[in-house]
Amino acid sequence: MIFSRLNRVRVGDRLFDLILDAGGGTVSLVVPSGGGQGETEMPFGTADAGGLLYLPTLADRHTHLDKHLLGEPWKPRRPFVTLAGQLAFEKETLAAHGASVAERARRMLDRMLDKGTTRIRTHVDVDPQIGLSHLEDVLKVREEYRGRMEIEIVAFPQQGLLRSGSLPVMKEAMRAGADLVGGVDPAGLDRQLERSLEAMFELSAEFDAGVDLHLHDPGHLGAYTIERFAELTGEAGKGGRAAVSHAYGLGQISEAEEGELADRLREAGVEIVTSVPIDRPMPRADRLLASGVRVGVGTDNVNDAWSPFGDGDMLARASRLAEKLGWIVDDDLRKALGLVATAPLEPVEGAPATFMLVDALNPMHALASVPAREAVFANGRLVGGRWAKREG
Ligand SMILES: [Zn+2]
């Protein structure tokens, strides 16, 4: 469904009409409601937003399109004992359930669009057993969703880059179209910290790619790994294209130590991506932001072998971040929303018509109350929310 005009959209504390250039998928005009401006024949439909609030769509900086069990039979989880045991359990779980990776990816993407997410970074498993099978499906599905969802792909050696002998298949994955080189616990899983990190950066140099490392290793082991990651990022000239996901260790060292490391992360251009865990310490995101470190937020686990929890809703995740950090004043609530927004909080003429409408008083209220998404637009097309269901 394509609209040319949306009347009575709340922006700040006033109502505006948004006139969309449906052909180009941009917002061509934002005019005060009731002013009679732009009242010409519209090529597509006009809708009354009835005072619903304008919000930008959302970005999920860390997800796994190939791991969840959405739409599949319930899977009883087992207690987490060792990482190696959990990795085996995950392989068995994904193989035993019926959906193809392509079908899994579509289910997750449809859910994300419905919740207002239009930009994601997904890690996709590669290893010598599954080869590129997950990646090939995700690459295919990325094409299907082009124009609605921007998808960045990290080739992810979940079983351990060196431990599982995944270097050759990682090279194939980069050749096949993955955008970034992934990695996981160079010490805790690969047990060769230096060699594992170096291998990641060698791959990233060979394919002129960014890097995004899963790092669960705790305390000073994790902090030391991050320190080496920052040094290698600087040496490789990968500033602005390097991220450490999870980085739990940052939340387990002293604040003074984290502050010092934060300066190095800023200088090297390393982003920290958190899924805002509530069951363990996490990086002190406010401290990192104050130091000028880029902080990304993702949903990570959604009903997968690792966790039965999660719903893929980035507005809820940003709300959890604000609540966990004790952010209650307006500036902080807006900051939390800004961390997950794909665009400014107010419409910009000439910008892509990619936004959503919710029932809230203002952006702060939306962040705090996590309302349903009434309508989600990507490049001028209705792609999610209640209106999309109504349109059928
Ligand atoms: Zn992950």
Side-chain angles (χ1 to χ4, degrees):
M1 179 74 183
I2 297 174
F3 294 99
S4 288
R5 184 178 186 116
L6 290 172
N7 291 330
R8 299 200 299 149
V9 175
R10 181 174 304 281
V11 178
D13 55 3
R14 293 178 60 200
L15 297 182
F16 290 85
D17 295 349
L18 302 191
I19 296 162
L20 309 181
D21 162 22
T26 59
V27 176
S28 62
L29 206 60
V30 183
V31 297
S33 293
Q37 282 172 281
E39 292 287 0
T40 51
E41 198 63 26
M42 288 287 150
F44 298 104
T46 294
D48 180 12
L52 291 172
L53 178 74
Y54 175 98
L55 283 181
T57 58
L58 308 172
D60 188 333
R61 198 70 174 152
H62 187 118
T63 186
H64 293 265
L65 291 182
D66 59 337
K67 283 188 187 293
H68 64 85
L69 302 171
L70 295 170
E72 296 177 48
W74 181 251
K75 175 72 183 176
R77 271 59 172 196
R78 295 195 311 212
F80 190 108
V81 181
T82 63
L83 186 53
Q86 177 62 26
L87 291 172
F89 175 65
E90 176 175 49
K91 263 192 172 293
E92 170 197 312
T93 299
L94 292 177
H97 281 243
S100 69
V101 169
E103 192 48 44
R104 280 203 178 106
R106 290 187 198 105
R107 282 178 191 162
M108 179 72 104
L109 290 168
D110 289 346
R111 166 177 289 237
M112 288 172 151
L113 287 172
D114 203 43
K115 300 279 189 187
T117 295
T118 59
R119 182 184 297 162
I120 67 166
R121 172 177 287 182
T122 181
H123 297 251
V124 178
D125 282 14
V126 296
D127 68 43
Q129 283 77 48
I130 61 170
L132 301 187
S133 59
H134 288 207
L135 179 66
E136 282 162 356
D137 271 19
V138 172
L139 284 166
K140 180 175 74 180
V141 171
R142 171 158 75 174
E143 292 311 310
E144 295 170 15
Y145 283 73
R146 202 171 280 285
R148 290 181 285 165
M149 184 73 83
E150 294 172 50
I151 304 176
E152 228 182 358
I153 298 174
V154 185
F156 178 43
Q158 169 75 82
Q159 303 291 319
L161 180 59
L162 305 182
R163 171 184 175 267
S164 65
S166 287
L167 264 175
V169 73
M170 283 289 287
K171 284 195 182 194
E172 283 176 46
M174 298 311 294
R175 272 187 216 109
D179 304 301
L180 293 102
V181 175
V184 54
D185 292 338
L189 191 60
D190 268 348
R191 313 192 79 76
Q192 300 180 65
L193 191 154
E194 288 292 326
R195 183 66 204 111
S196 181
L197 282 177
E198 281 165 12
M200 272 187 87
F201 279 92
E202 282 162 13
L203 278 173
S204 78
E206 184 177 346
F207 295 96
D208 187 24
V211 284
D212 191 331
L213 174 70
H214 271 70
L215 185 64
H216 316 88
D217 281 340
H220 286 94
L221 179 59
Y224 177 70
T225 306
I226 292 168
E227 195 180 328
R228 287 295 295 136
F229 184 90
E231 285 164 4
L232 289 168
T233 298
E235 285 165 22
K238 293 287 176 188
R241 301 173 71 191
V244 178
S245 288
H246 304 317
Y248 300 136
L250 282 178
Q252 297 162 336
I253 56 178
S254 74
E255 252 188 280
E257 287 172 309
E258 189 186 25
E260 200 169 296
L261 200 41
D263 291 338
R264 298 204 197 181
L265 292 171
R266 184 196 60 243
E267 285 158 19
V270 175
E271 174 186 358
I272 298 295
V273 179
T274 182
S275 57
V276 199
I278 51 176
D279 59 343
R280 70 193 71 193
M282 61 174 266
R284 301 171 185 94
D286 38 1
R287 179 74 186 75
L288 295 173
L289 288 166
S291 296
V293 178
R294 180 174 177 186
V295 173
V297 185
T299 53
D300 197 18
N301 307 107
V302 176
N303 182 8
D304 60 15
W306 302 80
S307 170
F309 301 106
D311 64 358
D313 183 345
M314 280 307 299
L315 188 59
R317 195 51 55 111
S319 188
R320 183 159 113 184
L321 177 81
E323 193 169 2
K324 178 146 180 164
L325 295 176
W327 288 359
I328 59 168
V329 302
D330 282 3
D331 279 352
D332 284 341
L333 295 172
R334 290 175 72 93
K335 183 163 68 181
L337 194 51
L339 287 178
V340 302
T342 63
L345 300 188
E346 298 190 347
V348 177
E349 288 177 0
T354 299
F355 60 92
M356 57 189 187
L357 301 174
V358 299
D359 185 3
L361 300 171
N362 54 43
M364 298 76 79
H365 183 218
L367 190 279
S369 62
V370 193
R373 290 348 89 86
E374 301 295 335
V376 179
F377 295 88
N379 297 305
R381 284 170 64 193
L382 182 63
V383 295
R386 289 178 174 172
W387 289 16
K389 293 186 186 76
R390 205 168 68 199
E391 297 300 331

